[in-house]
Amino acid sequence: MNFDFSEEQKALQSEVQRFLADRSDLSVARAVLDDASMSHAEAVWREMLELGWAGIAIPEQYGGVGLGYLELCVMAQELGRSLAPVPFSSTVYQFCEAVLRGGSEEQRGAVLAAVAAGETIGTLAFAEGVGFPAPGRIKLRCEQGRLHGEKWPVADAMIADAAVVLAINESNEPCLCLVDLAQDGVQRRALDSIDPTRNQGALVFEGAEAQLLGKAGDSAWAVFRAVLDAAAVLFAFEQVGGAEACLQSAIDFANERNAFGRPIASFQAIKHKLADVYVGNQLALSNAYYGAWALASGADELPLAAAVARVSATEAYENAAAENVQVHGGMGFTWEADCHLFLRRSRSLAVLIGDPGMWKKQITAEFERKVA
Amino acid sequence: MDFEDTPEEAEFRAEVKAWLAEQAAEYDLSNHGELSVDQQLALGRAFQARKADRGYAKVTWPRELGGMGGTPMQAVIYDQEEEKYDFPTVFFGISVGMPIPVMRRFATEEQQQRYLVPALRGEEIWCQLFSEPAAGSDLGGIRLRALRDGDDWVLNGQKIWTSWAHISDYGVIITRTDPSVPKHRGMTYFFVDMKAPGVEVRPIQQAAGGGEFCEVFFTDVRVPDSARLGEINGGWQVAIATLMEERFAVTEASGGGASLEDTVRFLRREFDDGESGLDDPIVRDKIAQWYVAESGINNFHARQLTGLSQGQLPGPEAALSKLVIARKLQAQSAYIMDTCGPAGAIYPDHPISRASDYRMAWLEAAGYRIAGGTDEILRNTIAERVLGLPGDVRVDKNIPFEQLG
């Protein structure tokens, strides 16, 4: 049994953790929260690019570092812990993943090399307002290589250089399109979000030029779902990292805060609450490992493992973030305390790539198929 | 990252599989008709002796003590494979798991020579006399009195929840020897002959009908001082050593109830209107929820086994398993009853199988949440020993035991 990350992967994790503690502590997330004109922490992001983070999992032939999903998982956990306000997940888990899984050799070569070189912020545009897209419900059209319609919310819409956009073609088949966002046919509109530490916006396409990524039809939808599965595993690690930060914050506060003549950490009402948070976090971490294994080994059960990792991590993070506020009491609900940063992030991550209900449906459907 | 055995582990697993397959015809209960408890016990003793001959009765112990000098991981591999059968091993789990390792640590060389091997071979069974009517989660509150009388000690009092006391030959026991000092400092640990005059065992019938738990009454039972384990008034340290006896229990994420696969098969049944139970979105939501919990436990175990395989013993975080499994068993079993409507509360004439009898599982789950550490004590364990939160205020800490209410 070797159900663990390697020594090298753990060393990478420590390195990333040290970097983030040094360059992107919570004051950095808070600066983005407090300043509406800031879309992300540009200086931190630039340093990450210089360190080659954007290309860490991009194969060497496309100019990346050529490490794998397991390395991305441990990095994601640390990014989640630090609440780093950077366009890493949109660029790496979503945009690159879509190009890798759906793109032609030529598209991969051009697009991934630009990401690895730190020249491109990318995103995946799939939502069209309230609800989650289904093949028959997509309105954005791709006709003769031009896009017409609107996508929102889109992560990092205001800063992305390129996007993979889910559309339907002339025959009403779903397709994925690669779009350069720096062109006249693209308008952007900033959106207010529950979590202002991460940029959200709308992309409006009025005849913007686009390239088809792979074939239209069922295969495009399959690529889209596979991208979401991969992203679900990586987001699960971010969520677990955030949940662990919440538990630590609650423990630190409970040990320090005295009431009724003793530290509140000595009351069972607090201890049992935190024990439950710990249990949720451990189950989520263990399920995230399962997702990591399925993703890295290319296992057929990835849709099941990814959905399990996603649901488990979403529940753990939301519970940990809410209980962290609760343990902090009134102070925990002030703008000044950091608790709400995690509370906000936990909720935005919970819905970003499909709500828990959608992923639960996937678990049951996949499990049902396995049971003869 | 993978779920594979190392080559050495795979080789050992193959050996164990082959050996167990050979034993199945003779010892697996499913190859026998209805057997009385006495018959099962006799069959179990014979199987236990065969295990001991191979060193499987205590994989990690040296050969001269009846083990095979194996690693903790090999012990787990043996348990995982044995669990795939229905061998009558239930009578020996506590005996070999808790009292016997304590005897190995605290008994004299001579006593070890006399007692260890017969216990491993199932010729003698040991029980653990810890809890009392007034001392459950708070084990330090035990009252059973041991008074010194020459070379002997005289025991008076009552123990409860002693598993398998009615078939045990010996037991380890914690007693009150000095009530004039605070409670944790006045206890002494012995081993006793369960057939000695003055020992009376009464099985307790549990709410779900099972009867392996007993009450044990001690009336002027004489125990020689040579049967003392540890120091006089140093019994708490020995008790802690018993409870800390590191063993990685192989636990099924289903908690002994219906597997999630069986649950899906059961819920898939069609009702009169032709609809499958699985069409209900609420049912589907519940299945996903249980799957997440079960998968979480299985993958948590896989992480722990990885540590074990690399030579790290599991720490107090292992407490979370039962906490999750027992509550899930209770909720899942109740929900399956719900889907049956009013008939959910009725025992069928022929339950599908013991494993899928969710009515029994639901009832058993109420006890499972208490046995071997209540949900609340397990949360304290996690909070204090894993998260490092302070212990509760102990109002009885420095008060002589005899002055406590």
Side-chain angles (χ1 to χ4, degrees):
Chain A
M1 184 80 67
N2 179 32
F3 191 51
D4 199 0
F5 291 98
S6 69
E7 290 309 317
E8 291 78 14
Q9 285 153 358
K10 288 177 189 169
L12 171 69
Q13 180 163 18
S14 307
E15 201 179 299
V16 169
Q17 190 174 58
R18 273 196 304 275
F19 172 85
L20 290 168
D22 186 40
R23 301 293 211 291
S24 189
D25 64 13
L26 293 178
S27 70
V28 174
R30 182 169 283 280
V32 176
L33 173 80
D34 283 337
D35 183 349
S37 72
M38 277 180 81
S39 51
H40 65 299
E42 262 187 274
V44 176
W45 177 237
R46 210 174 309 120
E47 278 197 80
M48 289 176 178
L49 293 176
E50 280 161 18
L51 291 169
W53 284 17
I56 202 107
I58 292 176
E60 281 170 296
Q61 78 225 59
Y62 308 125
V65 182
L67 295 175
Y69 285 116
L70 295 179
E71 284 77 10
L72 268 189
C73 287
V74 296
M75 290 178 78
Q77 196 176 351
E78 298 313 317
L79 287 161
R81 197 188 312 276
S82 69
L83 295 179
V86 291
F88 189 86
S89 56
S90 46
T91 302
V92 177
Y93 318 161
Q94 302 192 74
F95 179 71
C96 288
E97 201 57 38
V99 173
L100 258 176
R101 287 177 189 258
S104 65
E105 192 55 34
E106 205 186 327
Q107 287 167 329
R108 289 184 199 169
V111 175
L112 298 178
V115 171
E119 292 157 7
T120 301
I121 292 174
T123 189
L124 179 69
F126 56 92
E128 295 182 2
V130 174
F132 199 82
R137 238 191 277 151
I138 304 164
K139 294 206 186 76
L140 189 137
R141 305 192 70 84
C142 176
E143 288 172 347
Q144 281 141 20
R146 291 189 176 270
L147 296 184
H148 305 273
E150 187 173 338
K151 287 283 176 188
W152 72 273
V154 179
D156 295 308
M158 304 309 289
I159 52 173
D161 303 297
V164 170
V165 179
L166 180 65
I168 45 168
N169 66 8
E170 296 88 340
S171 326
N172 289 329
E173 295 167 316
C175 58
L176 290 169
C177 305
L178 183 61
V179 192
D180 180 351
L181 296 176
Q183 55 172 305
D184 286 346
V186 179
Q187 306 291 326
R188 310 174 197 232
R189 196 174 68 243
L191 295 173
D192 269 343
S193 145
I194 188 86
D195 175 21
T197 64
R198 293 287 292 111
N199 181 256
Q200 297 284 345
L203 292 177
V204 184
F205 301 98
E206 291 160 343
E209 271 183 53
Q211 291 177 29
L212 204 57
L213 199 68
K215 279 199 207 112
D218 292 347
S219 68
W221 186 256
V223 167
F224 171 61
R225 293 307 308 215
V227 171
L228 284 193
D229 288 342
V233 173
L234 296 163
F235 275 119
F237 276 90
E238 278 204 12
Q239 290 168 307
V240 168
E244 287 174 342
C246 290
L247 176 58
Q248 194 55 53
S249 161
I251 289 171
D252 293 345
F253 182 80
N255 276 324
E256 204 173 276
R257 171 78 174 176
N258 282 285
F260 305 102
R262 52 201 259 212
I264 63 167
S266 66
F267 290 107
Q268 287 192 332
I270 299 292
K271 287 158 80 170
H272 288 188
K273 183 192 291 301
L274 295 183
D276 284 341
V277 170
Y278 172 81
V279 171
N281 287 1
Q282 283 298 311
L283 295 181
L285 180 64
S286 306
N287 280 326
Y289 271 49
Y290 173 45
W293 164 80
L295 183 59
S297 65
D300 287 343
E301 65 194 273
L302 176 63
L304 179 58
V308 167
R310 167 94 181 137
V311 170
S312 201
T314 300
E315 286 175 354
Y317 195 7
E318 294 217 87
N319 184 48
E323 297 296 20
N324 185 34
V325 175
Q326 188 69 19
V327 168
H328 277 75
M331 271 308 291
F333 197 62
T334 59
W335 190 265
E336 195 185 328
D338 290 328
C339 303
H340 70 118
L341 272 64
F342 290 99
L343 189 67
R344 290 167 182 279
R345 182 66 68 84
S346 74
R347 194 84 273 271
S348 73
L349 285 183
V351 293
L352 187 65
I353 53 160
D355 66 285
M358 181 193 103
W359 289 98
K360 279 188 182 173
K361 283 180 194 157
Q362 180 162 324
I363 293 174
T364 306
E366 293 292 327
F367 179 55
E368 203 185 340
R369 282 200 303 132
K370 266 177 69 177
V371 180
Chain B
M1 182 182 274
D2 61 54
F3 295 94
E4 309 301 323
D5 284 332
T6 64
E8 297 77 30
E9 288 164 3
E11 192 185 324
F12 179 69
R13 192 182 295 278
E15 258 173 61
V16 167
K17 266 182 196 283
W19 184 79
L20 288 168
E22 283 167 29
Q23 312 308 314
E26 202 172 342
Y27 299 107
D28 190 307
L29 287 172
S30 58
N31 293 327
H32 292 265
E34 193 76 3
L35 293 186
S36 69
V37 174
D38 285 346
Q39 287 170 317
Q40 287 185 30
L41 178 56
L43 193 68
R45 286 186 197 274
F47 178 64
Q48 191 67 27
R50 302 219 57 174
K51 267 173 82 169
D53 288 340
R54 291 279 299 194
Y56 292 158
K58 200 77 189 169
V59 170
T60 54
W61 279 17
R63 289 199 179 274
E64 58 275 20
L65 288 175
M68 56 160 276
T71 63
M73 190 62 201
Q74 288 179 320
V76 169
I77 289 171
Y78 178 83
D79 288 347
Q80 286 174 332
E81 295 304 323
E82 188 188 79
E83 207 177 52
K84 293 175 185 165
Y85 294 88
D86 193 10
F87 294 121
T89 52
V90 66
F91 313 103
F92 312 99
I94 292 193
S95 177
V96 172
M98 318 269 285
I100 286 303
V102 165
M103 287 295 286
R104 191 187 160 202
R105 253 181 91 172
F106 291 93
T108 64
E109 197 61 36
E110 214 168 58
Q111 287 163 340
Q112 293 188 34
Q113 293 283 341
R114 159 67 188 81
Y115 294 111
L116 299 187
V117 171
L120 292 198
R121 299 184 61 79
E123 291 158 8
E124 291 169 351
I125 295 176
W126 287 64
C127 61
Q128 175 178 295
L129 300 140
F130 271 24
S131 294
E132 295 185 10
S137 294
D138 181 13
L139 182 60
I142 55 120
R143 296 175 181 184
L144 186 138
R145 194 76 166 88
L147 268 177
R148 189 75 190 244
D149 182 25
D151 282 343
D152 288 347
W153 294 80
V154 180
L155 275 51
N156 278 288
Q158 182 193 348
K159 292 288 176 182
I160 195 168
W161 313 126
T162 311
S163 303
W164 308 111
H166 57 306
I167 57 165
S168 288
D169 302 282
Y170 298 94
V172 290
I173 187 166
I174 180 142
T175 67
R176 176 73 48 197
T177 37
D178 186 356
S180 72
V181 294
K183 62 183 188 178
H184 290 104
R185 293 182 227 151
M187 291 180 276
T188 304
Y189 203 106
F190 299 94
F191 68 92
V192 294
D193 179 353
M194 293 296 286
K195 312 282 190 238
V199 178
E200 189 197 343
V201 179
R202 292 184 206 157
I204 299 169
Q205 193 175 9
Q206 288 175 257
E212 76 263 26
F213 287 112
C214 302
E215 295 179 286
V216 185
F217 296 86
F218 288 79
T219 311
D220 295 329
V221 175
R222 297 192 82 84
V223 175
D225 188 55
S226 59
R228 173 163 51 80
L229 301 174
E231 301 298 314
I232 294 174
N233 295 328
W236 184 246
Q237 286 68 37
V238 186
I240 292 293
T242 315
L243 297 173
M244 299 281 283
E245 170 58 25
E246 297 287 5
R247 58 194 183 121
F248 189 90
V250 175
T251 19
E252 282 282 318
S254 68
S259 71
L260 210 47
E261 282 83 356
D262 279 345
T263 302
V264 164
R265 287 187 195 102
F266 180 79
L267 293 171
R268 205 178 250 164
R269 73 198 187 281
E270 285 190 5
F271 295 95
D272 291 344
D273 55 8
E275 271 193 26
S276 155
L278 285 182
D279 294 340
D280 184 341
I282 299 175
V283 170
R284 301 184 73 81
D285 190 82
K286 301 258 185 201
I287 289 170
Q289 205 177 309
W290 299 325
Y291 191 87
V292 168
E294 206 164 294
S295 161
I297 288 296
N298 286 331
N299 291 309
F300 175 72
H301 288 166
R303 286 173 53 214
Q304 290 208 305
L305 285 178
T306 299
L308 199 65
S309 169
Q310 293 162 0
Q312 301 151 14
L313 290 174
E317 67 277 3
L320 74 82
S321 264
K322 190 181 84 96
L323 189 59
V324 174
I325 293 170
R327 283 184 298 174
K328 173 175 154 288
L329 179 65
Q330 199 168 34
Q332 187 180 331
S333 311
Y335 190 73
I336 303 172
M337 290 161 79
D338 288 354
T339 68
C340 299
I346 307 301
Y347 285 108
D349 291 340
H350 304 288
I352 314 155
S353 76
R354 206 180 115 68
S356 58
D357 188 348
Y358 45 85
R359 298 166 183 86
M360 274 312 287
W362 172 78
L363 206 47
E364 296 277 5
Y368 189 27
R369 291 183 55 190
I370 297 165
T374 63
D375 284 4
E376 292 71 24
I377 289 292
L378 295 178
R379 283 198 187 91
N380 282 355
T381 301
I382 291 169
E384 292 172 20
R385 294 183 51 207
V386 181
L387 304 182
L389 303 184
D392 217 324
V393 172
R394 295 264 157 84
V395 290
D396 55 2
K397 198 175 177 183
N398 295 311
I399 301 175
F401 182 74
E402 60 200 1
Q403 287 173 27
L404 296 176

